[in-house]
Amino acid sequence: MPTGPAAAAAAPSSASRRTPGELRRNLRLMILVMFILLVGGAVGLLTELRSAAFEKAESATAGAAYLLEDNLGRALSTTDVIISRMVIVVQEHLAGRIASGELLRELASLEASLTQRGNLLVVDAKGDVVAANRPPRGGGTVNYAHRDYFTAHRNGAERVIGPMVLGTYSQAPVFTVSRRVVAPDGSFGGLVVVGVDARFFTDFYNTLGLGPSAYIGANTAGRIMLRQPHPEQYVGIPTPSNPVAAAAAVKPVGSLLVHSPVDGVDRVVSFRRLAQFNVMVSAGMAVEDILAPWRRTALIIVGAVLLVLLGLGGMALTTFRVIAREEGALASLEEMVRARTAEAELRADEARQANESKTRFLAAASHDLRQPLQAAGMFVEVLAGQVEDDPRKVKVVERLRQSIEATNSLLSTLLDVSALEAGKIKPNMVAFRVMPLLAGLVDQIEPEASAKGLAIGVVPTSLMVSSDPVLLERLLRNLLVNAVRYTETGRVLLGCRRRGDRVVIQVLDSGMGIPTDKVDAVFEDFVRLDNPAERSGSRGLGLGLGVVRRMAALLDHGLELRSVLGKGSCFGVVLPKA
């Protein structure tokens, strides 16, 4: 299990990987968020644009109503002044101070002063037209006694602004402005009236550009006084439940959204009240006209959002397909890994069983072979006592003794290997002085070294170490035996060096040395170097340093090796200082 910096570096990498299922969920969430943002943004934008369209319409109709108020107010004021002047002329005529010819000349002059098209008429107390600049189109005598404004003047009204009617003289839709004439005796003497042609405001309406279903108009006494466009369609139409008139009765200026009672069209209407003439003017834009540009913009925005959503959906579909393929490939790979892992575990289990079988076999074989070898050793000793007088036989018995000892050493090594691999050896770590152990080892190996003519010694030391003395002794014995085996001349030396809080026990020899390419391999099992000892008959299996490696690992001690070919080697065991 990795630990330390390597594991810390690997952790973010493994945590940052996402499974296909997680990628699919994240992608769906991202698409949902983008869909909400796009649709929500489009709805919010369209709502703002719609509000802006109505605000613009309200501003446009308010401006139109203001212009209409100004235009109509000036027209009514001018007309009223002309009518007032004509009333004085008529009253002078009734008093006999002005002749009929002078009356007609004044009438023609004042009619020419009108700022808009219209007919200036003088009506007597019976309702007959007694003075006009031109005759009526229908001919004959014209009587206005049936008109509402005539009745109002007869009942005492000074000035009347009348609703739109079909003019008798012009045969066109007109609204009237009239004033009462007082006879010399103070009674009702008639009236002066101007029929203002409603078509005079057509050009004014066309300049406003409010839309095909827009209108401008004026109301008086609950009836239509002026209406554009197509004024002839609204002659004599009453508006008893006009919501705009109701609003104007409360405040003089304002705007509202209404359903027109006249033509049934929904409009944004702005109004203004001319209190001096008892007239309300208004201008309205149809909701359909207001929203027409907004609808075109909405179609463009909705189309763009749909295109983006289609593109997003296509990308998401492609990505889902890629994820699905990767998920399938990953599933196949995981299945393959599981199969290979199961196979590897089976092979490892088989290898472990084979290794355990080998270890058990080596232990059993080594143990069983030692008894006959011990018996053979006793027989050799008996035989040696009986052939002392024959040098040739003594030499043969000595060779036999060496062979038995070599075989016994091999079996001891095999037993050590099997015991170490089986995990049957448990170290007993204690603190002890290392010098007695080193001296004892030298004493044990000295006969073998002396037989080869080698000097062997130990460097005195007072150091204490922490280890298992029995296992450490066996480890060092193998190193000493190996040093004596591969050294033909010179000496073998055993000693210690202090290295910080560690101690290095070194075995130095003046033997043949180890080639550079063999330094890492000598601690492996069954590795043997070519040496004279093999030719002398004491050939080993190459397990001695393998046992050293296993024991060092069991004790958690380090191993060192320095060697110069032809000059010797230095093996070191690194262990803690007590």
Side-chain angles (χ1 to χ4, degrees):
M1 181 175 181
T3 59
S13 175
S14 61
S16 64
R17 291 193 293 269
R18 296 290 184 269
T19 65
E22 291 174 334
L23 290 176
R24 189 181 291 105
R25 287 193 296 273
N26 291 341
L27 184 58
R28 286 173 179 163
L29 179 61
M30 182 180 69
I31 292 172
L32 178 61
V33 170
M34 293 185 68
F35 175 81
I36 292 173
L37 290 176
L38 282 172
V39 174
V43 170
L45 177 60
L46 290 176
T47 302
E48 287 295 324
L49 290 176
R50 190 175 188 276
S51 298
F54 276 98
E55 289 175 2
K56 183 178 179 182
E58 184 175 329
S59 177
T61 56
Y66 174 79
L67 293 175
L68 179 59
E69 176 193 33
D70 181 66
N71 197 312
L72 184 59
R74 284 188 287 106
L76 291 175
S77 297
T78 302
T79 302
D80 189 43
V81 169
I82 292 173
I83 292 174
S84 298
R85 173 60 184 161
M86 192 63 202
V87 167
I88 295 172
V89 173
V90 172
Q91 288 176 342
E92 288 292 322
H93 172 68
L94 292 177
R97 290 187 288 270
I98 295 177
S100 297
E102 183 67 20
L103 174 67
L104 291 175
R105 284 194 298 273
E106 286 289 336
L107 184 143
S109 175
L110 290 172
E111 184 178 273
S113 301
L114 291 172
T115 57
Q116 69 284 324
R117 293 189 299 271
N119 296 308
L120 181 59
L121 306 175
V122 178
V123 180
D124 63 13
K126 296 179 181 180
D128 294 329
V129 176
V130 295
N133 194 36
R134 64 184 66 86
R137 289 187 179 183
T141 302
V142 178
N143 184 275
Y144 286 132
H146 63 287
R147 298 292 194 188
D148 292 340
Y149 57 82
F150 182 85
T151 303
H153 285 305
R154 189 173 56 190
N155 293 334
E158 286 293 327
R159 184 185 65 190
V160 176
I161 308 295
M164 191 162 56
V165 296
L166 187 62
T168 304
Y169 275 74
S170 63
Q171 297 296 308
V174 298
F175 62 88
T176 59
V177 180
S178 59
R179 275 193 173 269
R180 187 173 187 267
V181 176
V182 180
D185 60 358
S187 62
F188 173 59
L191 56 90
V192 178
V193 60
V194 172
V196 181
D197 194 338
R199 293 175 297 184
F200 173 76
F201 293 90
T202 300
D203 292 339
F204 171 78
Y205 166 79
N206 290 334
T207 62
L208 297 176
L210 296 179
S213 297
Y215 87 95
I216 59 172
N219 284 55
T220 180
R223 300 184 69 183
I224 296 176
M225 171 186 161
L226 173 67
R227 180 83 177 200
Q228 286 286 353
H230 313 297
E232 64 278 357
Q233 297 178 6
Y234 302 95
V235 173
I237 295 179
T239 55
S241 57
N242 189 341
V244 180
V250 177
K251 56 182 180 178
V253 179
S255 299
L256 68 161
L257 178 64
V258 297
H259 180 76
S260 174
V262 177
D263 55 12
V265 177
D266 291 328
R267 289 187 177 91
V268 171
V269 177
S270 294
F271 59 86
R272 302 181 75 89
R273 189 171 69 224
L274 283 73
Q276 65 187 86
F277 296 109
N278 192 29
V279 171
M280 179 203 68
V281 299
S282 62
M285 287 182 66
V287 172
E288 287 294 323
D289 296 340
I290 296 171
L291 295 181
W294 176 82
R295 289 194 177 97
R296 289 192 294 271
T297 303
L299 286 176
I300 294 173
I301 293 175
V302 169
V305 170
L306 287 177
L307 285 177
V308 173
L309 289 177
L310 285 175
L312 184 62
M315 292 174 59
L317 182 61
T318 302
T319 306
F320 282 137
R321 289 175 178 171
V322 171
I323 292 175
R325 286 198 298 269
E326 291 185 354
E327 194 171 22
L330 183 60
S332 300
L333 182 61
E334 289 177 349
E335 182 62 29
M336 184 182 300
V337 169
R338 282 195 294 270
R340 295 292 175 83
T341 302
E343 182 179 357
E345 290 176 350
L346 178 62
R347 297 289 181 269
D349 188 60
E350 291 176 351
R352 186 169 55 255
Q353 291 178 2
N355 187 60
E356 290 175 355
S357 298
K358 177 205 71 175
T359 302
R360 287 194 298 271
F361 169 76
L362 288 175
S366 300
H367 184 271
D368 292 343
L369 287 174
R370 294 191 88 177
Q371 290 182 351
L373 279 176
Q374 290 175 353
M378 289 188 294
F379 293 152
V380 167
E381 295 301 325
V382 172
L383 183 61
Q386 297 178 357
V387 296
E388 292 178 352
D389 56 347
D390 189 342
R392 280 191 314 168
K393 292 180 180 180
V394 170
K395 189 174 181 180
V396 171
V397 170
E398 184 61 27
R399 290 287 182 85
L400 181 60
R401 181 186 290 116
Q402 291 177 357
S403 296
I404 291 174
E405 288 177 354
T407 303
N408 193 48
S409 176
L410 290 177
L411 289 177
S412 297
T413 302
L414 287 174
L415 281 173
D416 288 341
V417 170
S418 62
L420 289 170
E421 288 191 350
K424 295 180 178 179
I425 300 177
K426 303 297 180 183
N428 180 25
M429 309 298 286
V430 295
F432 60 94
R433 292 188 179 278
V434 72
M435 186 60 195
L437 184 147
L438 301 182
L441 281 170
V442 169
D443 290 341
Q444 295 175 27
I445 304 301
E446 194 274 336
E448 184 177 350
S450 298
K452 294 186 66 176
L454 300 176
I456 186 170
V458 60
V459 178
T461 180
S462 61
L463 291 175
M464 293 187 65
V465 297
S466 176
S467 183
D468 184 319
V470 175
L471 295 179
L472 181 62
E473 181 184 9
R474 292 168 66 180
L475 186 156
L476 293 174
R477 182 187 294 111
N478 280 353
L479 290 177
L480 284 171
V481 169
N482 194 71
V484 170
R485 178 175 297 171
Y486 286 91
T487 302
E488 292 299 316
T489 60
R491 65 180 301 183
V492 175
L493 184 64
L494 183 62
C496 293
R497 287 181 182 275
R498 183 185 287 109
R499 188 182 294 172
D501 61 346
R502 316 289 286 180
V503 173
V504 183
I505 302 176
Q506 295 178 327
V507 177
L508 298 93
D509 65 63
S510 58
M512 58 184 290
I514 301 172
T516 305
D517 59 342
K518 297 284 188 176
V519 168
D520 294 332
V522 293
F523 288 102
E524 300 298 326
D525 293 340
F526 308 110
V527 174
R528 297 187 301 271
L529 301 179
D530 186 19
N531 65 89
E534 292 181 352
R535 293 191 293 270
S536 66
S538 59
R539 178 173 178 172
L541 291 176
L543 290 174
L545 292 181
V547 172
V548 169
R549 171 176 58 82
R550 289 179 174 86
M551 285 186 176
L554 181 64
L555 295 170
D556 195 22
H557 296 345
L559 290 176
E560 296 180 346
L561 171 59
R562 298 192 308 275
S563 182
V564 178
L565 193 63
K567 293 186 177 181
S569 302
C570 175
F571 288 83
V573 180
V574 184
L575 65 162
K577 184 173 65 173

